[in-house]
Amino acid sequence: MNIALVSATNLAPVDKEIETGPLPLEGVIPTALRGTLVRNGPNPVDAASASHWFFGEGMLHAFQIKNGEIYYRNRWVRTSRYRKAVQPQAVTDEPDSGTANTNIIRHAGKVLALEEAHLPVAVTLPELETLGIEDFNGQLKHRFTAHPKADARGDLVFFAYGVPEGLSAGMATGALSPAGELLSCERFTAPYASMAHDFAITTDYSLIPVMPLVGSRERAAAGGPVFAWEPERGSWLAVIPRHEGVKAMRWLRAPLGYVFHTMNAWQDEEALWLDVMQYDAPPLFTLPDGRPASAPGAHSRLTRWQIPLAGDGEIREQALYARGGEFPRIDERFTGQPYRHGWFVTTQPEDGEMPERFNTLAHIDHHRNHVATWQWPEAVSVSEPVFVPASDTAAEGEGALLMTVWSAISNTSALVAFDALNIEQGPLWRAALPVRVPDGFHGNWFVDGEDA
């Protein structure tokens, strides 16, 4: 995919850092809503050098909400790669801090920009100043997932692939305590070197999909794709008992396909359950010979896997929503637990044709087996929705969804909010930006004064 801006997409980078606010507002923001939404995504300093959506130095976009007003700022994460791109001659022999371009979380009082090939990079809020590589006092020795999961105790569960050497079948799994102490970190070997982007946890298990988007040093050295789709290798699921570790792990054959993102997982007396966004083949990647791995416009489907609690039995799959979608989110107070509500973005036809971008917000109520949607009346591209609970004690799903929306007509973006359980009623309020926020990847809500 060429990253140049075309009329149908919002993938091109922006070339300026700005601060502005309060933003023009349609509607009223509850004064109790105080905090900062931060989004992360690739934003190449040199746009001409980027040939794929996933490439580029990380840029953070922060929307600070206080006293019913919104203030915006964006900043590149000042990684070693960013500094080298800006001043190639000024960068000396410093550790490679990667791109920090995929996600942003807070744990143990540290705000961390993440990607999956390097250690976290710490930044400040609300200033978005870069502090540097964060290894939790030397406890983290290798790359770290862009999608760690916080469990009910506040432990941060993580995994990594390509450990200790990139493009190898080595993997790792572990956890950090709420205070940032390393509770565990174990290595194991996968069936092959896979790009394993996301995973899920239950109370007692970690579930890591290993699917045949396969990395190869030899292929890359010969000029071929670094990662390529090799479906003949089959798909696998690592089922790791969290309290016993890798000595008790099972490898189960998984449905053939590719999963970038999971929605949630949980367990009961019958089985383990895992909800995923499942592609037939990964978009934006190729077969080993360079042919596209998937058809143009292919999308994933929200799918439920039923995983046996013991043995090597079959993983059963059930489609939950037929239309394509991505970027699933939940009320994260229910991570790893039985849950009812989930949200994602999807694509609805415009003038009889399917657009390349996501233009619709969706809410699935698992108890009712019902999906509600809201489609914008104009041509837009929408970001991942982020759930903000109404209070710490609010019922599941009671709160707001925050997301950025890019207009193909004005080439600017806005921050919008929905009642999370009634999205079909449309936005509650909208704050307009004078600039564009690229689609990017992931974001999170940070409560003012919260330490973890």
Side-chain angles (χ1 to χ4, degrees):
M1 176 185 295
N2 191 305
I3 207 165
L5 177 64
V6 295
S7 60
T9 66
N10 182 34
L11 300 181
V14 295
D15 59 5
K16 291 183 175 63
E17 296 178 325
I18 71 166
E19 295 183 24
T20 184
L23 300 179
L25 183 65
E26 298 175 14
V28 177
I29 299 175
T31 56
L33 184 64
R34 297 180 62 91
T36 304
L37 174 73
V38 186
R39 288 192 47 75
N40 197 355
N43 197 87
V45 173
D46 178 10
S49 68
S51 59
H52 194 287
W53 180 28
F54 293 1
F55 295 166
E57 297 72 34
M59 176 174 274
L60 303 176
H61 302 263
F63 297 84
Q64 186 180 25
I65 302 178
K66 56 183 179 180
N67 302 322
E69 296 180 332
I70 303 180
Y71 297 80
Y72 168 81
R73 62 162 51 90
N74 64 324
R75 293 289 184 275
W76 270 286
V77 184
R78 263 60 175 181
T79 61
S80 57
R81 294 193 187 189
Y82 168 85
R83 290 192 293 277
K84 185 175 182 180
V86 174
Q87 290 183 295
Q89 306 306 317
V91 177
T92 56
D93 209 8
E94 63 176 304
D96 182 4
S97 48
T99 58
N101 70 3
T102 308
N103 201 358
I104 183 163
I105 66 166
R106 178 154 51 191
H107 187 70
K110 303 174 187 296
V111 179
L112 307 172
L114 304 175
E115 44 100 329
E116 62 206 48
H118 296 83
L119 288 167
V121 175
V123 300
T124 66
L125 278 182
E127 300 87 358
L128 303 182
E129 294 179 357
T130 301
L131 300 176
I133 293 173
E134 180 54 63
D135 61 7
F136 289 89
N137 296 318
Q139 297 178 101
L140 297 181
K141 305 295 186 182
H142 51 66
R143 58 176 60 190
F144 190 87
T145 177
H147 288 287
K149 312 295 182 187
D151 68 10
R153 294 187 302 269
D155 294 344
L156 191 70
V157 186
F158 63 86
F159 81 103
Y161 66 88
V163 173
E165 187 177 16
L167 300 180
S168 73
M171 300 187 74
T173 180
L176 291 162
S177 77
E181 296 298 320
L182 187 66
L183 300 174
S184 65
C185 188
E186 295 185 284
R187 294 181 181 178
F188 60 96
T189 302
Y192 45 76
S194 169
M195 181 184 287
H197 182 66
D198 198 1
F199 80 127
I201 61 172
T202 72
T203 302
D204 296 320
Y205 294 89
S206 290
L207 305 172
I208 308 175
V210 173
M211 315 193 91
L213 183 53
V214 179
S216 168
R217 285 190 295 271
E218 295 75 17
R219 186 172 56 228
V226 178
F227 285 94
W229 182 240
E230 301 182 26
E232 66 277 7
R233 292 179 180 256
S235 293
W236 297 86
L237 181 70
V239 181
I240 306 174
R242 291 176 53 198
H243 309 296
E244 300 177 68
V246 299
K247 68 178 183 294
M249 72 183 299
R250 293 180 291 148
W251 284 104
L252 300 183
R253 280 286 187 177
L256 181 60
Y258 190 75
V259 171
F260 279 115
H261 298 115
T262 67
M263 180 171 275
N264 198 19
W266 73 98
Q267 63 190 72
D268 58 24
E269 295 180 355
E270 180 183 359
L272 307 174
W273 305 88
L274 173 60
D275 291 346
V276 301
M277 290 295 189
Q278 182 176 328
Y279 294 88
D280 292 331
L284 309 179
F285 289 89
T286 68
L287 301 171
D289 62 9
R291 289 178 296 147
S294 63
H299 289 295
S300 59
R301 299 174 302 278
L302 182 59
T303 304
R304 176 163 293 172
W305 293 0
Q306 181 181 349
I307 304 155
L309 284 169
D312 58 358
E314 178 186 5
I315 294 177
R316 299 178 181 177
E317 57 180 317
Q318 173 192 358
L320 300 180
Y321 185 61
R323 191 175 294 282
E326 253 297 358
F327 297 115
R329 296 299 295 257
I330 63 168
D331 180 339
E332 292 187 352
R333 297 173 299 169
F334 291 81
T335 297
Q337 305 296 322
Y339 76 115
R340 177 173 180 175
H341 300 287
W343 299 270
F344 55 98
V345 294
T346 183
T347 301
Q348 302 286 0
E350 293 177 348
D351 300 324
E353 296 185 2
M354 298 299 290
E356 296 181 21
R357 63 196 176 276
F358 295 113
N359 64 0
T360 301
L361 173 64
H363 164 224
I364 185 165
D365 182 334
H366 291 299
H367 288 188
R368 297 172 55 211
N369 295 317
H370 175 71
V371 175
T373 62
W374 170 266
Q375 181 181 359
W376 274 258
E378 67 274 15
V380 301
S381 183
V382 298
S383 73
E384 169 194 67
V386 175
F387 176 77
V388 180
S391 69
D392 291 341
T393 58
E396 181 191 355
E398 182 181 325
L401 288 181
L402 301 181
M403 60 196 308
T404 57
V405 178
W406 168 75
S407 166
I409 297 172
S410 67
N411 198 28
T412 59
S413 295
L415 179 68
V416 300
F418 288 82
D419 177 343
L421 297 182
N422 296 283
I423 67 167
E424 61 273 23
Q425 296 178 5
L428 299 172
W429 50 261
R430 177 183 183 275
L433 277 168
V435 295
R436 183 171 58 85
V437 176
D439 285 348
F441 294 137
H442 304 288
N444 277 296
W445 173 253
F446 300 91
V447 177
D448 290 346
E450 197 172 74
D451 289 331

